[in-house]
Amino acid sequence: MFRTALRNVLAHKARLLMTVLAVMLGVAFVSGTLVFTNTISDAYQKSSAKGFDQVDVAIRPEGRQDTGDTIGKEPRLTGALLDKAAKVQGAKTAIGVVSGFTAIADKNGKLVGDGFQSQGGNYWRTEDPRYPIVSGHAPQGAAQVLIDSKTAERAGYKVGDTVRLSIDGPVLTPKITGIFTTDDGNVAAGGSLALFDTATAQRLFHKDGSYDEIDVKAASGTRQIALRNALDEILPKDAASTITGKQLADDQARQIADATSSMRTALLVFAGIALFVGTFIIANTFTMLVAQRTRELALLRAVGASRRQVTRSVLIEAFAVGAVAAVTGLVAGIGVGAGLRSLMGSLGGTVPDGPLVITPGTVVTALAVGVLITMLAAWLPGRRAAKIPPVAAMSSVHAKATTKSLVVRNTIGALFAAAGIATVLYATTLNSSDGQAPMGLGAVLLVIGVFVLTPLLSRPLIAAAAPLMRVFGIAGKLARQNSVRNPRRTAATASALMIGLTLITGLTVMAGSLQNAIDKMASSAIKADYVVSMANRSELSPEVEKTLRTTDGVTAISPLRNAPARIEDETEYVTGVNGAAIGKLTDLTVDDGTFKVGGSQVVVDDETAKHHHWKAGSRFTAAYEDGRKQQLTVTGVYQSTEMMRGIMLDNAALTPHLSDPGDMQVMVKMSDGATASAKNALEKALGDNPAIQVQDKQDISNSIAQIFTLMLNMLYGLLAMAVIVAVLGVINTLAMSVFERSQEIGMLRAIGLDRKGIKRMVRLESLVISLFGGVLGIGLGVFFGWAAGELLGTKMATYELVLPWGRMAVFLALAAVVGVLAALWPARRAARLNMLTAIKSE
């Protein structure tokens, strides 16, 4: 039986090629994902480990302690503590670390790197072991700065150049006195790092002679744990804590592993989808191969082969096919992993140098996935073939499914589909976090149910295409009849395409609805023409608002200044605004009272009011960070939005209590509205600062939607793998169907159907099957898109379903194109059959 199985594999090389390709693509995706994520994880972990070479123990401030009606002071690491740490037994050196956001502009005035990875810090004295200088010297005074070598290379800077910087708004123009190298992970990922002398860094980052961290290097022979214990004895109680360099490296490695784990999971989900689609092709292929060898298998049974031996022979064939596909997929996957790394670099992402990582786990996973998927998909056709009695097989009376089997199949499918719909509908009644698991379960049940019911659905849906098929004459009529001749085969072929289009359509529906919700969110809450903020959403200097206030054309302006306050033994973040102007800059619906802010009068959003049982006229006491208290009166309760929420009070009342005020954003209204000249005037007033964004409503909407658009395009690219596999399935089914109907095609040729007619018949059959899968996929995608939107609507009040009719029409056209392209080779092969040879075939 083993030799028989191998002979069958070699005898059907061409027919099994599509199966090998389908499995190979899925395995390549899996192994490529593992190689890629292992490679970048290993590179970042090694890079981060180097970054902690100069740190044996780090001292960090503890979090603020709020108690009763008192806002706790932010603990600070002082110069006195630094001096004590340097003198602790076992300490070699102690370095005070200061850091914060620092934007660097290139020579064209554009921001270098990603705003969230643009950092600044201090260079310790005249020689800092953390940052080896490759050219120039250490910075001295506010007019000098160091920049990292990668940023210098990207932006074209060299020692002696003047660079434009921004910390919290105002533009600085220091001179570059040196260029250094670093193993900092942010720089490796494409960010930038600027270093000032310590006094300048403390002033720019508002540290007032204090440090963010103190890094202590152990003397020779001193263990990290011993040094940590010694440092713990000098720390002020509840103000600071220690952590070893090894713990820092381990924590960093864990964070990197977690980050790459989520990426790996997302990519493997799509690899799984491609493999799932591929199982239809495998099952189809082996079903048809077994059907073509029914008499051969019956003869084996007649001469003594058992059912298990017949099933085992089919599984041996599947093992051979799966092994070939797995090995080639692994090799291709290694190339995919290397390609993804290069692609990441070409898209602006930077990965630290390191070798391509191919772990034993990757090899085992790739081989196991390829072989197991193929054998599982082939098991059912093999088992079905073994159950056919030899006499019935030789007489071909086994061919049609019994009425009982169809009833059982349809009943099971209906139960699964009903359970899936019910579960999805139930999930839409829950909030977004609780509804995710039921939604996923319902989606799986519904897809399984539709797949099982697809043979039943194929007849009426394909029959609906009859009027269109008549246009093509006898070829169209034959194509329609052929497409429903074997409903199970048609269903399996169409289902592969259905799954891909279900996911693509569902994502598109959600993306379009989200875009509409974001547009409404940006326009419904804000009357301001522009919103000014930092590129990384850090705080703006109050100087920005003062500068904009005196700019020509500004008619109303208000900074939004956040600060903590203790209210009813809870810490709430209140928002300081310009009370006289905020009503002109926002468009908020007031449910109770009036929208009036000034002095001790405040407005609160409906959620906060409900939590504290407040209404218009309610009074409460707020305790600020300076320890002083103020009694405030609620004048109005407004409906919260994604853009505006919380307690609003006048900045004149809030700012005197803040030691270091900063604005999250500044809202501006112009006399001529949002025009290009107005925006240009604001940007000029701010010195064309690359770190500051001046955005109108559409810019805000676009910046939020850009994230969704990028994700959607990535998902489209990943789902294209499933569509490619589905195309292979259509080609495979048609090619084997042509072989199976060779005698019939020969007879059609003999009675007058020419080669063009044969080609047209096969193409139309493929078109009908593809459109059938497309209709099912788009229908399910719309349903899932609506259901997922209902969950999103619980967190986004402006969300409502928007059906992208144009894109859905494109997807249906895509299904048609898939059908036409997939039929090219099978149609050509059918037309070239010799009619006499075909008629004589069995």
Side-chain angles (χ1 to χ4, degrees):
M1 293 302 294
F2 181 75
R3 289 196 299 270
T4 300
L6 292 182
R7 179 184 59 79
N8 285 327
V9 171
L10 296 175
H12 302 112
K13 294 188 293 291
R15 298 181 217 173
L16 292 170
L17 177 61
M18 295 299 174
T19 300
V20 171
L21 285 175
V23 179
M24 184 198 76
L25 286 173
V27 172
F29 206 161
V30 171
S31 54
T33 295
L34 295 175
V35 169
F36 171 63
T37 52
N38 287 338
T39 296
I40 62 173
S41 177
D42 181 75
Y44 276 120
Q45 286 180 20
K46 287 180 178 177
S47 176
S48 65
K50 290 180 183 176
F52 295 116
D53 285 347
Q54 299 300 321
V55 183
D56 285 310
V57 179
I59 302 174
R60 293 176 168 179
E62 289 285 355
R64 189 186 68 213
Q65 301 293 322
D66 299 339
T67 56
D69 59 358
T70 303
I71 294 290
K73 297 289 185 182
E74 289 285 354
R76 299 208 171 188
L77 304 179
T78 62
L81 179 61
L82 173 67
D83 293 338
K84 286 184 180 180
K87 296 175 183 177
V88 164
Q89 184 176 1
K92 180 180 180 182
T93 58
I95 295 175
V97 179
V98 184
S99 61
F101 172 73
T102 302
I104 301 178
D106 61 20
K107 292 186 176 181
N108 297 320
K110 294 182 179 180
L111 184 64
V112 176
D114 188 336
F116 290 90
Q117 296 170 330
S118 300
Q119 294 294 312
N122 66 312
Y123 189 85
W124 190 246
R125 297 174 180 166
T126 57
E127 188 173 350
D128 193 327
R130 300 172 298 168
Y131 308 113
I133 294 178
V134 294
S135 63
H137 59 80
Q140 298 176 356
Q144 297 185 358
V145 69
L146 300 178
I147 64 172
D148 68 272
S149 57
K150 291 186 177 180
T151 298
E153 182 181 350
R154 288 204 306 269
Y157 285 123
K158 60 183 184 297
V159 174
D161 289 345
T162 298
V163 62
R164 287 164 53 83
L165 301 173
S166 180
I167 308 297
D168 57 5
V171 176
L172 307 175
T173 55
K175 181 181 178 181
I176 299 173
T177 61
I179 294 172
F180 64 93
T181 59
T182 177
D183 292 311
D184 186 281
N186 284 328
V187 174
S192 61
L193 181 60
L195 300 178
F196 308 89
D197 67 51
T198 300
T200 300
Q202 288 174 325
R203 178 178 60 80
L204 291 174
F205 299 128
H206 309 286
K207 303 303 179 184
D208 299 328
S210 62
Y211 303 97
D212 295 305
E213 183 175 299
I214 295 174
D215 292 342
V216 184
K217 182 73 175 172
S220 179
T222 302
R223 296 176 60 193
Q224 290 186 352
I225 295 297
L227 178 59
R228 178 182 180 179
N229 292 337
L231 289 169
D232 283 339
E233 296 180 2
I234 67 166
L235 297 183
K237 185 178 180 182
D238 298 328
S241 61
T242 56
I243 184 171
T244 65
K246 183 179 184 306
Q247 285 179 291
L248 286 171
D250 290 344
D251 290 345
Q252 183 81 1
R254 194 176 303 111
Q255 292 174 8
I256 293 169
D258 290 342
T260 54
S261 175
S262 58
M263 182 194 304
R264 179 189 292 120
T265 301
L267 291 172
L268 288 177
V269 165
F270 289 95
I273 292 170
L275 285 168
F276 181 61
V277 172
T279 58
F280 294 116
I281 301 175
I282 302 165
N284 241 5
T285 302
F286 278 93
T287 298
M288 296 171 75
L289 285 175
V290 169
Q292 291 167 11
R293 299 206 317 269
T294 300
R295 293 188 178 183
E296 175 188 326
L297 295 175
L299 183 60
L300 288 173
R301 290 288 312 281
V303 297
S306 66
R307 288 185 177 183
R308 287 185 178 180
Q309 286 179 312
V310 170
T311 304
R312 196 179 301 134
S313 70
V314 176
L315 291 178
I316 291 171
E317 290 182 55
F319 176 83
V321 171
V324 172
V327 171
T328 54
L330 175 62
V331 174
I334 294 171
V336 168
L340 286 173
R341 178 172 175 169
S342 299
L343 178 63
M344 189 174 178
S346 65
L347 293 176
T350 307
V351 180
D353 294 333
L356 207 62
V357 178
I358 305 166
T359 64
T362 299
V363 176
V364 171
T365 300
L367 296 177
V369 165
V371 173
L372 288 177
I373 288 292
T374 308
M375 292 184 69
L376 284 174
W379 174 76
L380 188 60
R383 183 172 176 271
R384 190 183 298 134
K387 291 174 69 176
I388 301 171
V391 175
M394 289 182 178
S395 305
S396 298
V397 298
H398 65 287
K400 292 184 179 180
T402 63
T403 302
K404 180 181 177 181
S405 68
L406 292 175
V407 170
V408 171
R409 178 183 180 119
N410 294 337
T411 302
I412 293 172
L415 290 174
F416 268 94
I421 292 172
T423 307
V424 169
L425 293 177
Y426 166 70
T428 61
T429 65
L430 305 175
N431 60 44
S432 59
S433 56
D434 295 336
Q436 290 178 7
M439 181 73 72
L441 175 62
V444 171
L445 291 174
L446 181 53
V447 169
I448 292 173
V450 171
F451 167 66
V452 176
L453 285 174
T454 305
L456 179 66
L457 297 173
S458 65
R459 290 187 179 276
L461 289 178
I462 292 176
L468 180 62
M469 293 293 102
R470 291 195 191 102
V471 175
F472 298 97
I474 189 65
K477 182 178 180 180
L478 290 170
R480 184 180 64 81
Q481 292 175 345
N482 288 335
S483 59
V484 295
R485 176 186 295 182
N486 191 330
R488 290 186 175 183
R489 185 189 303 165
T490 298
T493 306
S495 294
L497 189 59
M498 177 193 77
I499 291 170
L501 287 179
T502 296
L503 294 168
I504 291 173
T505 304
L507 291 170
T508 304
V509 170
M510 286 180 60
S513 301
L514 278 171
Q515 178 64 65
N516 180 66
I518 292 166
D519 289 340
K520 284 188 175 181
M521 181 177 68
S523 61
S524 63
I526 300 175
K527 283 185 184 176
D529 294 315
Y530 294 100
V531 175
V532 180
S533 61
M534 292 294 289
N536 73 329
R537 299 294 185 261
S538 62
E539 290 187 342
L540 287 161
S541 166
E543 296 299 319
V544 172
E545 186 259 344
K546 293 178 182 178
T547 300
L548 293 175
R549 185 179 293 278
T550 59
T551 303
D552 290 340
V554 175
T555 59
I557 186 170
S558 174
L560 271 62
R561 187 168 295 168
N562 286 355
R566 291 292 285 180
I567 300 171
E568 298 179 356
D569 292 335
E570 295 181 15
T571 300
E572 298 270 7
Y573 274 83
V574 297
T575 302
V577 298
N578 181 346
I582 192 64
K584 302 174 185 177
L585 298 166
T586 58
D587 187 15
L588 300 169
T589 302
V590 179
D591 293 333
D592 183 23
T594 59
F595 195 90
K596 185 178 181 182
V597 179
S600 62
Q601 295 178 319
V602 303
V603 293
V604 301
D605 70 297
D606 49 0
E607 294 177 3
T608 304
K610 182 179 179 181
H611 176 72
H612 289 285
H613 306 289
W614 293 337
K615 59 183 179 180
S618 296
R619 295 186 177 185
F620 62 92
T621 300
Y624 301 108
E625 63 180 34
D626 63 351
R628 297 168 63 187
K629 300 179 182 178
Q630 183 181 20
Q631 190 175 63
L632 302 172
T633 302
V634 178
T635 62
V637 178
Y638 65 91
Q639 292 180 10
S640 63
T641 69
E642 297 297 322
M643 306 290 290
M644 305 292 293
R645 63 179 64 232
I647 303 170
M648 292 188 201
L649 73 160
D650 196 89
N651 270 322
L654 176 65
T655 304
H657 302 288
L658 306 181
S659 59
D660 185 22
D663 301 327
M664 293 308 297
Q665 55 185 245
V666 178
M667 304 174 75
V668 182
K669 195 165 185 64
M670 307 295 290
S671 57
D672 297 330
T675 63
S677 59
K679 185 174 183 178
N680 186 59
L682 295 177
E683 291 175 339
K684 289 291 184 186
L686 295 171
D688 290 323
N689 194 322
I692 297 181
Q693 296 177 326
V694 179
Q695 297 178 305
D696 60 21
K697 295 177 186 178
Q698 191 58 49
D699 291 333
I700 295 171
S701 177
N702 291 343
S703 65
I704 300 172
Q706 185 177 12
I707 300 171
F708 297 111
T709 302
L710 178 62
M711 289 178 61
L712 187 65
N713 290 336
M714 288 177 61
L715 294 175
Y716 280 164
L718 294 170
L719 286 172
M721 178 71 72
V723 175
I724 291 172
V725 174
V727 172
L728 293 175
V730 178
I731 296 173
N732 203 24
T733 300
L734 288 173
M736 299 187 74
S737 178
V738 166
F739 178 83
E740 192 178 64
R741 303 201 311 259
S742 295
Q743 188 178 59
E744 176 186 318
I745 291 171
M747 290 295 294
L748 289 172
R749 289 290 315 283
I751 61 176
L753 190 63
D754 59 9
R755 289 186 174 182
K756 287 185 178 179
I758 295 293
K759 285 184 179 180
R760 189 179 300 118
M761 178 187 72
V762 176
R763 288 170 184 167
L764 289 174
E765 180 183 348
S766 175
L767 179 64
V768 168
I769 293 173
S770 297
L771 286 175
F772 170 54
V775 169
L776 285 180
I778 292 171
L780 282 174
V782 169
F783 177 69
F784 290 140
W786 165 80
E790 290 296 301
L791 287 184
L792 287 173
T794 62
K795 283 194 172 183
M796 188 177 289
T798 54
Y799 185 92
E800 63 180 32
L801 181 67
V802 175
L803 294 180
W805 295 105
R807 289 204 176 187
M808 288 193 294
V810 170
F811 296 154
L812 194 59
L814 174 65
V817 170
V818 165
V820 172
L821 293 178
L824 290 178
W825 176 63
R828 183 169 177 270
R829 181 183 177 189
R832 296 182 64 183
L833 285 175
N834 182 288
M835 69 177 74
L836 295 178
T837 304
I839 290 171
K840 289 189 294 182
S841 66
E842 294 186 2

